[in-house]
Amino acid sequence: MDALTDKQLLMKIIDIFTDTYWNPLRDFLTKYPEYLRTFPAFILNPEHIVVYMTKDFLAIEYFGNEGLKKNITPDTIGVTFFNYSSNPQTDLLEEITGIDNSSITSKVILNIPLYSEDMVVPTNEAFDILIDLGWNFMAENAFFTINRPIFHFEKNNYTRIINGRFYDVKENSLKTRHIKWLDVIPINVLDKGDELDISLDLEFYHKIIEIDASYMYPLPPKEDYKLNKLPQLNRFIEFISDKNNNEPQITNFLNMPENRFILTMGFFGKYIYCQKSCQWQSEDKKNIIPDFFIEKPNGYSDIIEFKLPHLKSQSIVGRENRETFSAEIHSYISQTRVYNNYFHDPNNREWVLNTHGIRVHNPKRILVIGRRWHFSNEEWREIQADFQNLEIMTYDDLIDGVTAQFYM
């Protein structure tokens, strides 16, 4: 008995959704173009979609802009497939959000609502940090969970999450996972004798075509500051999606005065310093020039290094139980290790303070690289834990952290 390959499975899934949902929705909008003004365009013209599959569920997550830029028929769509169906213990919500159930203090287990819009789900530690940051929960038109339970998707039922924000704490830093639009569908695996096949019941999509076509995505409250910043954040998303833009161009974009809020909000910093040359005081070595220093509220700075959002190779390599980062990512980690060595010398720290006014001691090295669909939460977070004072985050993690604050 031969199982379908992941590529074959993915093609079947895409074909099913195209015939059952995307094409009928596109036909409806073509017939009633008045809905295009407010239609959440990323459903039919996404930047990327991610398909998750377990033994019980199939989930599709959409990435992209809310507003229609060109038309409802994209030239190409990027698709990533995470197939967890061989492991019956896989928790789909854990894999999607990256929040391990072991970090949740409550042991109450509940099904996530079958339909949720503007759902805010912090762990208890994250809730405390949000309070410390002065976020006004009572002012938000959102559904908050307090003393968060362990959530699961309800078996045999369709679930939709729109604008869901999940918060956790890692190494004393707030981490945000923003789910713009996620559909979770029950799935059955069929044994047909000569191959394994999947069975999906998507009949309910026929009933919600008009509802989805007329849906208005929940954007943040219309305040001047947010209105000015949201378009700039969209420009950043578009900028990193262009493969013609290199690392220096990304750094220059973020250093523009109108874009610096992406770093200060994304890393909860007071001030940023861009590409400050740092001379070695006790050794004859080439100057180091980190992309950014981000000054935190305690007056000390961490180091942020930006690499390309488009990986040249797989992020994880190696056999099962021997996984490691690819040579590409290891090379980037090695570069940041030089920064750590530099600031281990008190003479270097004093020179940077006197020359640039930047106070640094045991800095966290933050490497921003790739997109969320380049990494499987199941593996790379465990590998990252082997590196001291190092945090690897995707561009989507950064964007989520900024976006979430616009809703607060």
Side-chain angles (χ1 to χ4, degrees), residues 325-371:
F325 285 131
S326 67
E328 178 184 7
I329 295 181
H330 269 297
S331 68
Y332 300 146
I333 293 174
S334 296
Q335 178 183 343
T336 68
R337 190 179 296 119
V338 174
Y339 301 158
N340 191 62
N341 294 339
Y342 177 92
F343 286 103
H344 186 70
D345 186 337
N347 294 323
N348 293 333
R349 297 199 299 268
E350 184 177 1
W351 185 90
V352 170
L353 177 61
N354 293 334
T355 304
H356 299 304
I358 305 173
R359 192 180 301 275
V360 187
H361 188 56
N362 292 328
K364 178 189 289 187
R365 297 163 288 141
I366 304 170
L367 180 62
V368 183
I369 182 173
R371 304 301 298 271

Side-chain angles (χ1 to χ4, degrees), residues 33 41 53 70 76 142 159 187 209 220 243 247 281 294 307 313 355-356 368:
M53 180 177 167
K70 296 180 181 178
T76 58
T159 302
I187 188 174
I209 294 296
K243 293 185 178 181
E247 293 169 13
Q281 299 302 298
I294 183 81
K307 297 303 177 183
S313 59
T355 304
H356 299 304
V368 183

Side-chain angles (χ1 to χ4, degrees), residues 221-239:
K222 292 186 177 181
E223 300 172 9
D224 289 342
Y225 178 80
K226 295 175 181 179
L227 280 179
N228 291 334
K229 298 304 181 185
L230 279 175
Q232 287 305 115
L233 189 59
N234 285 337
R235 299 295 80 76
F236 179 57
I237 295 171
E238 295 163 7
F239 192 83

Side-chain angles (χ1 to χ4, degrees), residues 176-377:
T176 306
R177 176 63 162 96
H178 181 214
I179 296 177
K180 180 166 282 189
W181 190 293
L182 177 76
D183 283 349
V184 182
I185 303 104
I187 188 174
N188 290 315
V189 178
L190 303 179
D191 186 347
K192 301 180 67 174
D194 58 345
E195 66 177 20
L196 294 178
D197 204 350
I198 61 172
S199 175
L200 289 170
D201 181 7
L202 301 182
E203 183 64 28
F204 61 90
Y205 271 123
H206 294 298
K207 304 175 183 178
I208 61 174
I209 294 296
E210 184 174 354
I211 295 173
D212 286 356
S214 59
Y215 183 77
M216 296 181 63
Y217 190 81
L219 292 172
K222 292 186 177 181
E223 300 172 9
D224 289 342
Y225 178 80
K226 295 175 181 179
L227 280 179
N228 291 334
K229 298 304 181 185
L230 279 175
Q232 287 305 115
L233 189 59
N234 285 337
R235 299 295 80 76
F236 179 57
I237 295 171
E238 295 163 7
F239 192 83
I240 63 174
S241 299
D242 186 346
K243 293 185 178 181
N244 292 318
N245 293 324
N246 56 31
E247 293 169 13
Q249 288 172 315
I250 292 173
T251 301
N252 291 336
F253 180 94
L254 288 168
N255 191 43
M256 293 178 182
E258 64 270 26
N259 296 327
R260 286 189 163 207
F261 75 95
I262 296 173
L263 295 178
T264 53
M265 292 180 68
F267 298 100
F268 299 100
K270 291 171 56 181
Y271 194 78
I272 64 170
Y273 304 85
C274 181
Q275 294 187 319
K276 298 296 184 181
S277 181
C278 304
Q279 298 178 9
W280 294 79
Q281 299 302 298
S282 305
E283 301 173 76
D284 185 16
K285 292 184 177 181
K286 184 179 179 180
N287 293 1
I288 66 167
I289 309 177
D291 285 345
F292 294 99
F293 291 95
I294 183 81
E295 184 178 323
K296 308 306 282 286
N298 64 4
Y300 286 86
S301 294
D302 290 331
I303 295 173
I304 307 171
E305 192 73 18
F306 281 86
K307 297 303 177 183
L308 289 175
H310 312 287
L311 296 183
K312 301 174 185 176
S313 59
Q314 291 184 336
S315 59
I316 306 295
V317 297
R319 293 178 294 174
E320 186 175 358
N321 298 322
R322 293 187 178 182
E323 297 91 349
T324 185
F325 285 131
S326 67
E328 178 184 7
I329 295 181
H330 269 297
S331 68
Y332 300 146
I333 293 174
S334 296
Q335 178 183 343
T336 68
R337 190 179 296 119
V338 174
Y339 301 158
N340 191 62
N341 294 339
Y342 177 92
F343 286 103
H344 186 70
D345 186 337
N347 294 323
N348 293 333
R349 297 199 299 268
E350 184 177 1
W351 185 90
V352 170
L353 177 61
N354 293 334
T355 304
H356 299 304
I358 305 173
R359 192 180 301 275
V360 187
H361 188 56
N362 292 328
K364 178 189 289 187
R365 297 163 288 141
I366 304 170
L367 180 62
V368 183
I369 182 173
R371 304 301 298 271
R372 178 165 289 130
W373 44 86
H374 293 146
F375 295 86
S376 170
N377 292 319

Side-chain angles (χ1 to χ4, degrees), residues 84-138:
Y84 306 112
S85 59
S86 62
N87 182 2
Q89 304 304 317
T90 298
D91 186 290
L92 180 58
L93 191 62
E94 278 189 344
E95 292 300 332
I96 293 174
T97 63
I99 299 176
D100 195 321
N101 286 335
S102 62
S103 68
I104 301 171
T105 55
S106 172
K107 299 308 174 185
V108 176
I109 300 176
L110 292 176
N111 291 322
I112 204 162
L114 298 182
Y115 178 86
S116 64
E117 179 184 292
D118 292 326
M119 188 177 186
V120 178
V121 188
T123 62
N124 286 358
E125 284 185 290
F127 190 85
D128 292 339
I129 288 183
L130 292 175
I131 292 176
D132 291 341
L133 290 171
W135 289 10
N136 188 344
F137 290 86
M138 299 304 294

Side-chain angles (χ1 to χ4, degrees), residues 45-72:
N45 195 350
E47 175 191 359
H48 204 92
I49 62 173
V50 178
V51 180
Y52 309 88
M53 180 177 167
T54 68
K55 67 181 184 66
D56 296 313
F57 299 106
L58 183 75
I60 292 189
E61 183 175 9
Y62 298 85
F63 295 81
N65 289 331
E66 300 84 7
L68 200 62
K69 292 190 297 182
K70 296 180 181 178
N71 52 57
I72 56 176

